[in-house]
Amino acid sequence: MINLQRVSYVRLGTRDIEGAIRFATDVLGLEVAEVSKGAIYFKSDEREHTLCYFEGDPHDQAVAFEVGSRAALSAAASELERLGHPVHAGTPSEAEARKVREFIAFNDPTGNRIELVWRPAYSGARYHGTRDAGITEFSHVGLCTTDAARDEAFWTQVCNARVSDRVGDAPLLRINEVHHSIAMFPTDRSGIQHINHQVESADDVMRSFRFLKERQVRIVFGPGRHPSSSAKFLYFEGPDGMVFEYSSGVKMIADELLYRERQLTFDPAGFCEWGAKPDVPEFRS
Amino acid sequence: MIEIEQLRYVRLGTRNLPAAVDFAQRILGLQLIERNDEQATFRSDFRDHTLVYEVGDPMQQSVGLEVRTQATLDRAIAALAATGITATAAHAQALARRKARAMASFRDHSGNTFELVVRPQTSGWRYFPSRDAGVTGFAAVALRTTANEADETLWTTLFNGQVSDWVGDAAFIRFDDAHHRLALHPSSRAGVLAIEYAVEGMNQIMQAMYFLQSAQVKIVHGPGRRPTSDQMFLTFAGPDDMLFSYVAEGVRIADDGAHRPRQFARKHLSFCAWGSESTIPEFAVSEDSD
């Protein structure tokens, strides 16, 4: 069993790094943590970085999860190899580029690039965004799946994820007390489907709604409220068609024994209890 | 000092009673209590009714406020007379229509009509609305004023009103622990600007936004949050250009002594902290320096 502790960061290739910087700072409200040759690191919480844009193919994407120890990392590597997932052991320079001590990388059954990292860097300087978006942390990713049942089995049986709710066949998976750190959405491709940052309050969601509208950022879903996690949300489009989400008030599941996952309908009502209709391909029935 | 006990109702004239009834039930989501050829009354809470549409001129509008006893009403009539305002006692038919024991009506300095009522009826039956808008009660009335200082003074000296905050010269006046029950907005004319109903919470405000959009009701302001009262709000247009708002949350002012009225600049952000703007003249602002 691979024990994932927390979602750590996302790496995204882009052909337009200047555009990505403008979006991440002026629109999303992240803080530039470091600029290096061909890559830029953004900070959203107490960690050294949670988002990295690098010069490259926009299809080149990876999401990282923290594991607890070096032993856990090597056990994970052998388990993945045994199951037929080729494992790449990160080189020291690759680890440095990720601000982690050690890491391995592999593809999940859909082909999403996953990195398992040990000792990702935290930073002493507190996060101070370039605009007052109220971001509190990088919180979860949506991942594409070409076979939801197969991938749910991978994340829940090979890894320690638990199903918190299902929207149609899409499982919302938790690896700690947060309702979901991974959400899997059935589609015909691999890749990161959306990137979520938590904000302080519903006021922040609504202020950003006006802010983004004024700047003609394409809003693809919301403002709304998920019946699953009870979070108030807003989804909008960033560079290379990537969907970003602000949300506030995600449910915490403290008592594993008392919690029972629920089945929600794969339609607008299953995604939003306020009545918003998604313009996100993976959310449309 | 005349004690206003609480807001009771708004009466609105309309040339098209069936359309007004349809709006109040199907869109606003209130409960129809009585309907005849002359008027229709609607309930929103423990009060027998808080909204009345009566056949007549849409300019004919009045706001009902409760005073406790006949003696208080008599004192109010005398006090108003002393400031040159004539209050007229109601006849039996008007009282029956209002389900009150006594009443006197008067106009403020702008010409807005108020009715002071004694022992208006409370309903023993639970409020059961026609749609699940989550309305919890009649909350406030926003009025246009052409004499904001004089009107404000009327409520704060003759009556027990207190200014909670100002946005520019618009005054938010409270009579109990709610931030305001009357809001006076400087305007070129008199009249009721908006009738406000409290709903349970943010879910209801936002559900209403999508509901009103799909019903093609014109949303004129919000969803937003007022920096003054801290209420979330959504304002939309009803029949005869009357505005209605759903409001939720908001501060309570329990300790009068501890609250000092605050002056907010006349800016969009003083009406809405979320950044929503409005084309309603009373909320329109000729500034671009946000």
Side-chain angles (χ1 to χ4, degrees), chain B residues 2-78:
Chain B
I2 312 296
E3 294 274 332
I4 301 290
E5 299 283 323
Q6 57 182 327
L7 269 182
R8 289 305 302 202
Y9 57 76
V10 174
R11 298 179 67 87
L12 301 173
T14 183
R15 304 250 184 250
N16 189 343
L17 191 60
V21 169
D22 175 63
F23 171 83
Q25 284 190 283
R26 188 173 56 84
I27 304 296
L28 197 53
L30 301 184
Q31 180 184 3
L32 179 65
I33 298 302
E34 280 177 2
R35 181 180 175 176
N36 54 39
D37 293 342
E38 293 168 340
Q39 69 171 28
T41 62
F42 297 92
R43 182 175 300 164
S44 62
D45 48 54
F46 61 92
R47 289 163 272 221
D48 176 80
H49 64 274
T50 58
L51 178 65
V52 182
Y53 274 109
E54 58 188 328
V55 174
D57 184 349
M59 299 309 285
Q60 179 191 315
Q61 305 166 340
S62 55
V63 176
L65 300 165
E66 182 182 353
V67 294
R68 196 151 184 181
T69 61
Q70 179 69 54
T72 317
L73 186 63
D74 293 340
R75 276 202 298 125
I77 294 170

Side-chain angles (χ1 to χ4, degrees), chain A residues 24-90:
Chain A
T25 54
D26 296 350
V27 176
L28 194 54
L30 301 183
E31 178 183 1
V32 175
E34 190 188 314
V35 185
S36 68
K37 192 169 164 6
I40 179 143
Y41 298 82
F42 297 97
K43 186 172 165 59
S44 64
D45 51 34
E46 74 280 16
R47 291 169 286 192
E48 183 63 35
H49 90 291
T50 55
L51 174 65
C52 173
Y53 272 106
F54 57 91
E55 273 170 15
D57 184 347
H59 292 104
D60 194 352
Q61 305 172 340
V63 56
F65 296 92
E66 188 177 349
V67 296
S69 64
R70 180 180 266 149
L73 196 62
S74 47
S78 5
E79 176 68 1
L80 289 163
E81 288 281 7
R82 195 182 63 79
L83 292 168
H85 296 270
V87 171
H88 167 74

Side-chain angles (χ1 to χ4, degrees), chain A residues 6-235:
Chain A
R6 186 182 185 187
V7 62
S8 196
Y9 58 76
V10 164
R11 291 175 61 80
L12 301 174
T14 184
R15 304 262 182 242
D16 175 14
I17 204 128
E18 289 307 317
I21 293 172
R22 265 200 310 280
F23 172 82
T25 54
D26 296 350
V27 176
L28 194 54
L30 301 183
E31 178 183 1
V32 175
E34 190 188 314
V35 185
S36 68
K37 192 169 164 6
I40 179 143
Y41 298 82
F42 297 97
K43 186 172 165 59
S44 64
D45 51 34
E46 74 280 16
R47 291 169 286 192
E48 183 63 35
H49 90 291
T50 55
L51 174 65
C52 173
Y53 272 106
F54 57 91
E55 273 170 15
D57 184 347
H59 292 104
D60 194 352
Q61 305 172 340
V63 56
F65 296 92
E66 188 177 349
V67 296
S69 64
R70 180 180 266 149
L73 196 62
S74 47
S78 5
E79 176 68 1
L80 289 163
E81 288 281 7
R82 195 182 63 79
L83 292 168
H85 296 270
V87 171
H88 167 74
T91 65
S93 70
E94 286 171 338
E96 200 184 320
R98 286 160 177 76
K99 302 178 187 297
V100 301
R101 281 304 181 95
E102 286 181 21
F103 79 101
I104 61 171
F106 67 97
N107 287 350
D108 80 352
T110 284
N112 297 309
R113 194 63 171 166
I114 310 296
E115 299 180 352
L116 301 182
V117 303
W118 176 52
R119 287 171 65 179
Y122 280 63
S123 89
R126 84 178 158 186
Y127 155 69
H128 184 76
T130 39
R131 77 171 185 95
D132 183 16
I135 290 174
T136 55
E137 68 172 338
F138 165 52
S139 183
H140 72 250
V141 288
L143 288 177
C144 291
T145 173
T146 51
D147 183 337
R150 176 199 65 201
D151 288 357
E152 181 187 308
F154 173 82
W155 289 99
T156 56
Q157 290 168 24
V158 179
C159 303
N160 62 329
R162 285 85 72 195
V163 176
S164 292
D165 284 313
R166 291 184 189 86
V167 185
D169 292 329
L172 308 179
L173 301 167
R174 71 181 179 280
I175 55 175
N176 49 38
E177 288 190 2
V178 180
H179 181 275
H180 57 280
S181 294
I182 307 165
M184 316 249 13
F185 295 101
T187 179
D188 54 4
R189 64 180 177 107
S190 65
I192 293 171
Q193 187 270 339
H194 77 267
I195 295 171
N196 170 281
H197 291 87
Q198 290 290 307
V199 292
E200 273 177 39
S201 68
D203 288 331
D204 291 304
V205 174
M206 296 305 295
R207 277 193 290 258
S208 281
F209 172 56
R210 296 286 169 192
F211 177 89
L212 297 174
K213 258 177 69 158
E214 243 169 54
R215 278 150 191 83
Q216 296 176 313
V217 174
R218 191 168 160 252
I219 290 164
V220 293
F221 191 21
R225 184 168 194 176
H226 290 308
S228 52
S229 66
S230 80
K232 292 125 192 154
F233 64 79
L234 184 70
Y235 291 82

Side-chain angles (χ1 to χ4, degrees), chain B residues 215-250:
Chain B
Q216 296 184 299
V217 174
K218 193 178 174 204
I219 293 170
V220 298
H221 201 187
R225 191 189 284 282
R226 295 173 176 150
T228 46
S229 62
D230 206 34
Q231 288 167 311
M232 278 184 274
F233 70 92
L234 181 70
T235 303
F236 50 100
D240 305 306
D241 294 325
M242 178 57 57
L243 304 183
F244 290 84
S245 299
Y246 291 129
V247 295
E249 298 183 0

Side-chain angles (χ1 to χ4, degrees), chain B residues 72-141:
Chain B
T72 317
L73 186 63
D74 293 340
R75 276 202 298 125
I77 294 170
L80 286 163
T83 62
I85 296 174
T86 310
T88 319
H91 50 80
Q93 195 193 353
L95 288 178
R97 280 184 155 205
R98 287 159 180 81
K99 296 189 189 173
R101 294 299 181 97
M103 180 185 112
S105 64
F106 69 94
R107 286 169 183 270
D108 70 3
H109 298 283
S110 304
N112 292 306
T113 303
F114 294 90
E115 300 178 351
L116 301 176
V117 289
V118 178
R119 288 169 65 183
Q121 204 156 297
T122 289
S123 165
W125 291 81
R126 181 162 66 180
Y127 162 61
F128 187 76
S130 46
R131 86 168 179 91
D132 184 18
V135 169
T136 57
F138 179 34
V141 179

